[in-house]
Amino acid sequence: MEVINAIGRRKSSVARIYLSEGSGKITINKKDLTEYFPSAILQYVVKQPLQLLDVVEKYDIKVNLDGGGYTGQSQALRLAIARALVKVNEEDKKALKVQGFLTRDSRAVERKKPGRPKARRRFQFSKR
């Protein structure tokens, strides 16, 4: 099997992954998964598509992660892994789509408007 690459985005995070056959090692920015994401919840989020298809120990994944915070990065990585798994085996698409792993979460921070302290917040009204 050749190396398969995919991209995932969430908020301002971008995850570029390279998936190849191996022993289940996930390397993010030249660090191990447990070192890059110390939180067990974020590690679980990243591994969700692999656990759903029961291929955790089958593929090695090399990741370039950029931008955003740790939650956005983990969700961008989950999307990229799901997209790469669909490229490997087209029949897995339905199972991943039902769980929502192939849907790009388009929510992002709303821009600040001029004349206001934040995007929607107004300055306090003063009657006198």
Side-chain angles (χ1 to χ4, degrees):
M1 177 187 137
E2 74 283 353
V3 176
I4 291 169
N5 65 327
I7 193 165
R9 293 188 183 94
R10 170 76 172 99
K11 291 187 174 182
S12 59
S13 302
V14 181
R16 295 174 195 83
I17 75 159
Y18 303 92
L19 185 123
S20 58
E21 280 189 17
S23 59
K25 191 165 194 263
I26 301 175
T27 310
I28 306 169
N29 294 350
K30 298 180 181 172
K31 291 182 183 176
D32 189 57
L33 172 68
T34 54
E35 192 181 339
Y36 194 86
F37 291 124
S39 166
I41 295 165
L42 297 178
Q43 292 173 28
Y44 171 75
V45 166
V46 168
K47 291 182 179 178
Q48 273 181 314
L50 297 166
Q51 289 171 340
L52 177 73
L53 301 175
D54 200 35
V55 292
V56 178
E57 304 291 311
K58 196 174 175 188
Y59 299 112
D60 281 344
I61 302 171
K62 185 176 172 290
V63 185
N64 291 330
L65 256 176
D66 187 43
Y70 50 86
T71 304
Q73 286 187 345
S74 66
Q75 292 172 7
L77 181 50
R78 178 176 67 182
L79 175 62
I81 290 171
R83 285 178 173 174
L85 290 172
V86 169
K87 284 183 183 179
V88 171
N89 188 0
E90 195 68 35
E91 284 122 42
D92 296 333
K93 185 172 183 175
K94 185 160 177 25
L96 290 166
K97 195 158 181 84
V98 167
Q99 292 294 319
F101 297 149
L102 291 175
T103 307
R104 202 276 200 206
D105 193 345
S106 61
R107 294 175 297 168
V109 177
E110 191 174 333
R111 77 175 192 88
K112 185 194 170 298
K113 314 299 187 307
R116 294 191 189 167
K118 291 168 68 178
R120 297 188 178 201
R121 173 107 174 90
R122 267 85 165 166
F123 288 109
Q124 187 172 355
F125 174 74
S126 172
K127 198 168 198 175
R128 287 176 193 88

